[in-house]
């Protein structure tokens, strides 16, 4: 450490950046500390006592911490952002300049605009705003080839703010966008809505993008879709064409890191440059390699992992040229310091954290594993090398595990084996991929042979990852893992690393591990708060936009899901909202699935849940042979060996709770909405009534049939608060204290109706709406019902 001051400086600088989240140090305090430190340093030359040296060390340390604190505050970009209150607006008109373009996807192209003028309804804003623009239209390739960075454009489309944390555990995309200075998203559904008004362009950014586009085009022309998507991620750091399900399998199998451009890629780039410039003298070869690495970083937009690896590679090259020794941790520290000086906010990104945690872990943990393997005196070199390679992978996995659990909520139990198989092969795929793209330029015929071989290898890799990542045995779920838990994890990991090498007897080492693990589990349990605890009835109105989805957890741990939101070409609520939510809550399976009626915004999300074996049994209205969607849904249930239970008057007993299915025979000429299930859930004195999309015509039947039995504390308001539901006759019997309305923000149906909202208010009902609040959680002990503020838990 004494010979490598970068380690100390980077640690103190990081502490300073972190401290700025809790306290902001005034700039004058930093100047004062610097002046005092300088004075003490000058006096140290005259007074060489240890106390002066110690005081100097403390003051300099505080200076570095203060620099980190102040630097984060002064380096925060002053973005001009649209108001957070603007959620969705139609027919927004923009004039502006293109500032960036993403590689095209199958169903859209994305680009960025700095506005000159922005018209929202009758409001015209002349200020400059950064917006992410999307084109979702057939035949957009011609437009894609015309777009240039720096060109003026006129755009018409629908504006929407980035999605927020609408449900527990969801990624706050709005916060992410605004952190990059992007106010929101404008989506155009016709290519004619994007008009290029000038042919000007910014030379260097356009050259870089043209090169990215060229490489991507060659990959797409010479590889199948699956292989092209992977190579696009490996070569250009663009994973947009890798499906959500496939990324999930990569996470489950513990190899998601290979999709991040990092040390492996940089190593291959260095080897390629070493080969190309091999005949030049060492100094020129090194300079050209460093220039090449810099251009490679620019080409892939410099993600943290690649930047770290490139800086470390440059340090190694410079150290070799100057005949200096290197230290891995010191190289990591320099890389971190450089990256944080460029952008201190990188410290709070998953890419930075995972990348640096992996390399530091290899530097600290791998030597211990290596010594253990070498002391075993394994004679078979192949076995020994495999174990040493596995040791590197194991060290990285141990070090990154706390962050992996925090961001993904999973521990992959097959990660060591899959990494052992996948990482060497990915190196081959990457190398052959680069070679094939170079060969395409000179000899497409020869390149085609390399592409065929590479596709075969990629197919094998995907098969391995699919097998490892799609099985229940491949990972363990961990819920409610917090930042405090991350700190506790590294505290106990440090204790183990410090003392494990000092203990000589295996029994002592085993005892240390058991003691640390037990204390770790105890400590992380202190801040655990269950959103839907046992021994209570919990109800979550899930925010699925313009649709319904209500999750219930009964006191005995059984679960039910009433509707599951919509699925469409662009978004599947079952896959993208409800499945992650169930994982977040630690719910493996839904015991009772209720489809209120077969409208897409109610049953659509069940398709993914059934596909993922998350539904134990499902209830739905009697099959309607005149409805094709109902017939298709029934066929899907049969194909997945899931029996349909049709609604009829019955009582489901779940522990101390009861579900009353009130459905009676309804006339055939009733609409799908009026055939909705009507469920009443009773737990002690707490009563909940769910009515699907029941309208006034159907309400009359239930008023006549059940009368005062409809009286309930909580009402799921019919048909998203439409004026076609919630009649006075019906509400007069229900008299809800709490009303739940599930609807989308500024939905095209204008739900809920002001008439219904006013009518509910007249009954003294508290109204909770997903469009205003996101998810809503209610809990009851059988006596009182209270709303839970899940965002503060």
């Amino acid at each position: 450490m004494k010979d490598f001051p970068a380690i100390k400086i980077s640690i103190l600088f990081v502490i300073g950046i972190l401290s700025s989240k809790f306290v902001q140090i005034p700039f004058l305090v930093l100047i004062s500390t610097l002046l005092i430190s300088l004075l003490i340093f000058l006096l140290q030359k005259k007074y060489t006592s240890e106390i002066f040296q110690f005081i100097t060390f403390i003051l300099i340390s505080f200076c570095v911490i203060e620099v980190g604190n102040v630097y984060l505050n002064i380096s925060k970009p002053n973005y001009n952002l649209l108001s957070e209150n603007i959620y969705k607006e139609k027919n927004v008109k923009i004039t502006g300049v293109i500032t960036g373009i993403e590689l095209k996807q199958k169903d859209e192209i994305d680009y960025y605009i700095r506005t000159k003028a922005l018209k929202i309804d009758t409001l015209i804003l002349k200020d400059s705003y950064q917006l992410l623009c999307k084109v979702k239209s057939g035949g957009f390739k011609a437009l894609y080839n015309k777009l240039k960075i720096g060109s003026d454009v006129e755009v018409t489309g629908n504006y929407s703010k980035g999605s927020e944390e609408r449900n527990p555990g969801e990624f706050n995309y709005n916060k992410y966008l605004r952190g990059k200075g992007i106010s929101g998203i404008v989506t155009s559904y016709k290519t004619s809505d994007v008009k290029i008004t000038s042919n000007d362009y910014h030379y260097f950014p356009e050259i870089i993008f043209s090169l990215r586009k060229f490489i991507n085009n060659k990959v797409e022309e010479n590889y199948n879709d699956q292989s092209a998507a992977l190579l696009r991620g490996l070569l250009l750091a663009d994973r947009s064409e890798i499906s959500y399900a496939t990324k999930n399998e990569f996470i489950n199998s513990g190899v998601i890191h290979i999709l991040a451009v990092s040390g492996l890629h940089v190593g291959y780039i260095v080897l390629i440059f070493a080969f190309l410039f091999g005949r030049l003298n060492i100094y020129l070869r090194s300079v050209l390699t460093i220039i090449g690495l810099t251009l490679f970083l620019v080409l892939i937009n410099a993600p943290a992992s690649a930047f770290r690896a490139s800086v470390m590679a440059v340090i190694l090259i410079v150290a070799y040229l100057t005949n200096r020794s290197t230290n891995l941790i010191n190289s990591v520290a320099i890389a971190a310091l450089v990256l944080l000086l460029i952008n201190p906010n990188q410290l709070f990104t998953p890419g930075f954290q995972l990348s640096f945690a992996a390399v530091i872990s290899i530097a600290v943990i791998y030597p211990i594993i290596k010594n253990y393997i070498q002391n075993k005196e394994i004679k078979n070199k192949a076995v020994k090398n495999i174990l040493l390679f596995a040791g590197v992978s194991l060290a990285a996995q141990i070090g990154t595990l706390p962050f992996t659990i925090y961001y993904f909520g999973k521990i992959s139990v097959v990660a060591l084996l899959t990494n052992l198989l996948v990482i060497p092969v990915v190196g081959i795929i990457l190398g052959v991929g680069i070679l094939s793209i170079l060969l395409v330029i000179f000899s497409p015929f020869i390149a085609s042979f390399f592409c065929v071989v590479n596709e075969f290898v990629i197919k094998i890799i995907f098969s391995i990852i699919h097998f490892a990542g799609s099985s229940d045995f491949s990972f363990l779920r961990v819920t409610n893992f917090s930042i405090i838990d991350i700190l506790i994890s590294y505290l106990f990991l440090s204790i183990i690393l410090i003392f494990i090498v000092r203990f000589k007897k295996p029994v002592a080492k085993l005892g240390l591990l058991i003691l640390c693990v037990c204390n770790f589990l105890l400590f992380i349990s202190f801040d655990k708060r269950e959103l839907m605890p046992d021994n209570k009835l919990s109800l979550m109105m899930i925010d699925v936009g313009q649709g319904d989805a209500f999750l219930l957890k009964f006191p005995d741990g059984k679960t039910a899901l009433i509707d599951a939101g919509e699925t469409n070409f662009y978004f599947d609520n079952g896959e993208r909202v409800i499945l992650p939510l169930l994982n977040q809550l630690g719910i493996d399976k839904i015991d009772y699935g209720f489809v209120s009626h077969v409208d897409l915004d109610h049953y659509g999300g069940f398709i993914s849940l059934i596909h993922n074996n998350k539904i134990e049994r499902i209830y739905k209205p009697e099959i309607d042979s005149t409805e094709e969607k109902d017939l298709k849904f029934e066929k899907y249930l049969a194909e997945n060996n899931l029996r349909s239970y049709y609604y009829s008057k019955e009582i489901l007993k779940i522990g101390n709770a009861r579900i009353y299915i009130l459905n009676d025979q309804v006339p055939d000429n009733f609409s799908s909405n009026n055939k909705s299930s009507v469920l009443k859930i009773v737990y002690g004195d707490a009563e909940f009534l769910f009515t699907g999309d029941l309208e006034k015509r159907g309400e009359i039947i239930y008023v006549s049939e059940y009368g005062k039995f409809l009286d309930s504390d909580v009402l799921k308001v019919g048909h998203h608060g439409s004026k076609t539901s919630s009649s006075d006759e019906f509400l007069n019997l229900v008299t809800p204290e709490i009303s739940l309305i599930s609807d989308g923000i500024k939905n095209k149906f204008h739900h809920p109706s002001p008439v219904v909202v006013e009518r509910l208010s007249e009954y003294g009902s508290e109204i909770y709406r997903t469009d205003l609040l996101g998810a809503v959680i209610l809990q009851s002990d059988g006596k009182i019902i209270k709303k839970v503020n899940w965002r503060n838990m």
Side-chain angles (χ1 to χ4, degrees):
M1 291 283 282
K2 185 177 180 181
D3 297 326
F4 302 104
I7 299 173
K8 298 176 189 174
I9 293 171
S10 61
I11 291 172
L12 293 170
F13 191 69
V14 165
I15 291 171
I17 293 173
L18 291 172
S19 70
S20 68
K21 293 292 181 179
F22 306 99
V23 61
Q24 294 186 0
I25 297 173
F27 188 73
L28 288 176
V29 173
L30 171 61
I31 297 298
S32 301
T33 309
L34 286 171
L35 291 174
I36 294 170
S37 300
L38 179 62
L39 178 62
I40 295 295
F41 180 76
L42 294 173
L43 290 174
Q44 180 187 326
K45 294 182 178 180
K46 184 176 181 181
Y47 303 100
T48 58
S49 63
E50 291 185 1
I51 186 68
F52 261 90
Q53 292 180 356
F54 178 73
I55 292 172
T56 303
F57 172 76
I58 295 297
L59 283 172
I60 291 174
S61 297
F62 269 113
C63 280
V64 178
I65 292 172
E66 289 175 3
V67 167
N69 183 291
V70 173
Y71 189 69
L72 179 68
N73 293 322
I74 64 174
S75 63
K76 286 179 181 176
N78 188 23
Y79 295 127
N80 193 31
L81 297 168
L82 283 169
S83 169
E84 288 270 20
N85 295 325
I86 304 175
Y87 281 89
K88 293 172 78 173
E89 295 291 341
K90 290 185 177 181
N91 297 319
V92 171
K93 297 186 184 299
I94 305 166
T95 58
V97 179
I98 297 175
T99 57
I101 309 170
E102 300 288 354
L103 295 174
K104 68 179 175 64
Q105 300 173 40
K106 280 195 179 94
D107 55 354
E108 70 178 58
I109 51 176
D110 296 351
Y111 59 101
Y112 302 90
I113 285 182
R114 173 68 64 183
T115 66
K116 294 179 179 178
L118 174 63
K119 183 180 179 183
I120 301 176
D121 199 11
T122 58
L123 180 66
I124 299 177
L125 301 171
K126 294 289 188 179
D127 293 332
S128 179
Y129 301 100
Q130 186 82 357
L131 296 171
L132 167 60
C133 296
K134 297 176 179 285
V135 180
K136 295 186 177 183
S137 169
F140 57 64
K141 288 185 180 179
L143 174 65
Y144 175 68
N145 292 326
K146 291 179 182 177
L147 293 176
K148 293 186 181 297
I149 299 172
S151 296
D152 291 329
V153 288
E154 293 179 358
V155 177
T156 302
N158 297 336
Y159 173 85
S160 63
K161 191 168 74 168
S163 59
E164 299 171 294
E165 188 183 13
R166 307 292 297 178
N167 298 290
E170 277 188 350
F171 177 62
N172 193 327
Y173 188 48
N174 178 59
K175 183 178 179 182
Y176 168 78
L177 287 178
R178 295 178 84 85
K180 297 176 71 174
I182 300 169
S183 291
I185 305 161
V186 174
T187 304
S188 303
Y189 294 95
K190 295 185 295 183
T191 54
S192 59
D193 286 336
V194 182
K195 296 177 183 177
I196 300 169
T197 56
S198 80
N199 292 319
D200 297 335
Y201 62 91
H202 298 151
Y203 186 76
F204 184 71
E206 183 57 31
I207 289 292
I208 295 298
F209 176 66
S210 296
L211 184 56
R212 282 175 62 82
K213 190 160 59 172
F214 172 80
I215 294 171
N216 182 60
N217 288 341
K218 293 303 177 186
V219 169
E220 289 183 341
E221 289 168 6
N222 292 277
Y223 286 92
N224 61 37
D225 289 347
Q226 185 184 55
S227 300
L230 179 63
L231 284 171
R232 178 161 150 167
L234 295 176
L235 296 174
L236 298 170
D238 186 321
R239 297 181 284 182
S240 59
E241 287 295 89
I242 300 175
S243 70
Y244 177 83
T246 301
K247 287 176 187 174
N248 215 32
E249 289 175 356
F250 273 76
I251 294 169
N252 295 345
S253 56
V255 293
I256 187 67
H257 61 89
I258 70 168
L259 296 179
V261 178
S262 58
L264 180 69
H265 308 71
V266 170
Y268 269 98
I269 296 299
V270 171
L271 287 175
I272 289 170
F273 286 134
F275 174 76
L276 292 175
F277 308 134
R279 294 183 177 275
L280 303 176
N281 72 67
I282 189 170
Y283 293 103
L284 183 57
R285 185 167 73 232
S286 299
V287 170
L288 290 174
T289 300
I290 292 171
I291 293 171
L293 277 176
T294 304
L295 292 175
F296 172 68
L297 274 179
V298 173
L299 179 67
I300 62 173
N301 297 324
S305 55
F307 188 93
R308 182 264 307 157
S310 298
V311 171
M312 291 177 66
V314 170
I315 292 169
L316 290 172
I317 292 169
V318 172
Y320 179 75
L321 289 175
T322 57
N323 201 27
R324 291 175 178 270
S325 61
T326 59
N327 174 281
L328 182 56
I329 296 181
N330 191 62
S331 301
V332 173
I334 294 172
L337 202 56
V338 172
L339 188 54
L340 293 175
L341 285 171
I342 295 172
N343 181 7
N345 284 294
Q346 282 281 352
L347 181 63
F348 305 103
T349 63
F352 181 97
Q353 294 159 3
L354 288 164
S355 175
F356 281 91
V359 180
I360 293 170
S361 302
I362 292 171
V364 174
I365 300 173
Y366 175 64
I368 299 172
I369 298 172
K370 181 181 177 181
N371 290 336
Y372 179 81
I373 294 170
Q374 289 178 336
N375 289 338
K376 290 298 179 182
E377 298 181 356
I378 300 168
K379 295 181 180 179
N380 190 311
K381 286 187 177 180
V383 173
K384 186 176 181 179
N385 288 333
I386 289 172
L387 289 174
L388 288 172
F389 177 74
V392 175
S393 179
L394 179 61
Q397 288 171 46
I398 291 171
T400 58
L401 188 60
F403 287 115
T404 302
I405 297 172
Y406 178 73
Y407 287 113
F408 303 120
K410 299 173 182 177
I411 300 175
S412 175
V413 297
V414 298
L416 188 61
L417 179 59
T418 49
N419 275 278
L420 198 61
L421 295 171
V422 170
I423 289 178
V425 182
V426 166
I428 295 170
I429 291 169
L430 181 62
V432 175
I434 294 172
L435 182 60
S436 66
I437 299 305
L438 293 173
L439 284 172
V440 161
I441 301 170
F442 305 104
S443 177
F445 178 73
I446 296 174
S448 66
F449 289 98
F450 286 91
C451 294
V452 170
V453 173
N454 219 15
E455 283 185 342
F456 177 73
V457 177
I458 290 171
K459 186 176 180 180
I460 293 172
I461 285 298
F462 270 97
S463 298
I464 292 170
I465 292 171
H466 176 70
F467 173 76
S470 61
S471 305
D472 290 336
F473 66 78
S474 63
F475 61 93
L476 301 173
R477 297 198 186 280
V478 181
T479 59
N480 300 318
F481 200 80
S482 65
I483 294 175
I484 294 173
D485 295 335
I486 292 176
L487 298 176
I488 294 171
S489 301
Y490 284 118
L491 171 64
F492 280 103
L493 180 59
S494 300
I495 292 171
I496 291 171
L497 293 175
I498 290 169
F499 291 100
I500 198 81
V501 293
R502 298 185 182 182
F503 293 170
K504 303 301 180 184
K505 294 182 179 181
V507 175
K509 293 182 179 183
L510 181 61
L512 172 67
L513 288 173
I514 293 172
L515 186 63
C516 285
V517 169
C518 290
N519 277 279
F520 165 73
L521 294 174
L522 177 65
F523 274 65
I524 65 171
S525 67
F526 290 151
D527 67 336
K528 292 291 179 290
R529 292 187 180 181
E530 294 290 336
L531 287 176
M532 303 182 82
D534 293 333
N535 303 316
K536 287 186 178 181
L537 177 64
S538 298
L539 163 64
M540 181 187 296
M541 178 168 60
I542 306 170
D543 186 353
V544 289
Q546 186 61 21
D548 271 8
F550 292 83
L551 177 65
L552 292 114
K553 184 176 179 184
F554 295 92
D556 64 350
K558 295 283 187 181
T559 55
L561 182 66
I562 304 173
D563 290 330
E566 184 181 8
T567 183
N568 56 45
F569 180 78
Y570 298 110
F571 195 82
D572 181 346
N573 273 293
E575 180 185 53
R576 305 300 294 272
V577 175
I578 300 176
L579 266 175
L581 177 62
L582 296 180
N583 295 336
Q584 172 78 10
L585 298 171
I587 297 173
D588 293 323
K589 206 154 192 174
I590 298 295
D591 298 293
Y592 301 89
F594 295 96
V595 178
S596 65
H597 61 298
V598 187
D599 276 0
L600 195 60
D601 59 330
H602 291 257
Y603 83 91
F606 273 111
I607 294 170
S608 291
L609 299 177
I610 293 167
H611 176 73
N612 286 276
N613 196 31
K614 289 294 182 181
I615 306 296
E616 185 67 33
R617 60 165 65 184
I618 198 156
Y619 289 79
K620 65 180 291 291
E622 285 279 356
I623 185 170
D624 186 346
S625 58
T626 64
E627 288 282 357
E628 186 179 355
K629 59 185 176 183
D630 200 354
L631 294 173
K632 286 183 177 180
F633 187 50
E634 287 279 351
K635 183 181 178 182
Y636 183 77
L637 294 175
E639 289 171 348
N640 286 273
N641 299 313
L642 195 61
R643 176 188 164 191
S644 296
Y645 291 82
Y646 299 115
Y647 293 127
S648 62
K649 288 185 180 180
E650 64 175 305
I651 302 172
L652 301 177
K653 298 179 180 179
I654 307 175
N656 294 329
R658 301 287 186 273
I659 299 180
Y660 294 87
I661 300 177
L662 306 184
N663 284 57
D664 206 344
Q665 293 295 323
V666 294
D668 290 337
N669 62 347
F670 267 33
S671 66
S672 173
N673 286 348
N674 279 316
K675 292 178 182 178
S676 293
S677 65
V678 177
L679 308 175
K680 181 167 181 175
I681 298 173
V682 178
Y683 174 54
D685 296 331
E687 298 176 327
F688 305 77
L689 188 66
F690 295 85
T691 62
D693 277 356
L694 191 70
E695 297 177 326
K696 293 177 181 178
R697 194 178 179 191
E699 289 174 353
I700 293 170
I701 291 178
Y702 287 93
V703 166
S704 174
E705 179 79 14
Y706 293 101
K708 291 186 177 180
F709 185 73
L710 296 175
D711 184 36
S712 301
D713 303 295
V714 177
L715 170 66
K716 198 296 292 187
V717 178
H719 203 184
H720 320 288
S722 167
K723 62 183 178 182
T724 61
S725 300
S726 305
S727 62
D728 274 320
E729 294 84 356
F730 185 72
L731 292 180
N732 192 46
L733 288 172
V734 180
T735 61
E737 296 176 13
I738 296 173
S739 296
L740 303 177
I741 301 177
S742 181
D743 57 342
I745 298 170
K746 287 199 170 184
N747 60 83
K748 63 182 180 181
F749 306 103
H750 305 292
H751 293 157
S753 165
V755 174
V756 171
V757 172
E758 184 179 353
R759 190 178 296 156
L760 290 167
S761 300
E762 288 173 356
Y763 281 92
S765 186
E766 290 184 68
I767 302 170
Y768 300 134
R769 298 164 44 176
T770 53
D771 63 332
L772 300 181
L773 302 172
V776 174
I777 299 179
L778 303 177
Q779 282 179 3
S780 176
D781 58 2
K783 295 180 181 178
I784 61 171
I785 300 171
K786 67 175 182 179
K787 179 175 175 289
V788 176
N789 189 349
W790 57 267
R791 285 188 171 86
N792 290 336
M793 291 184 69

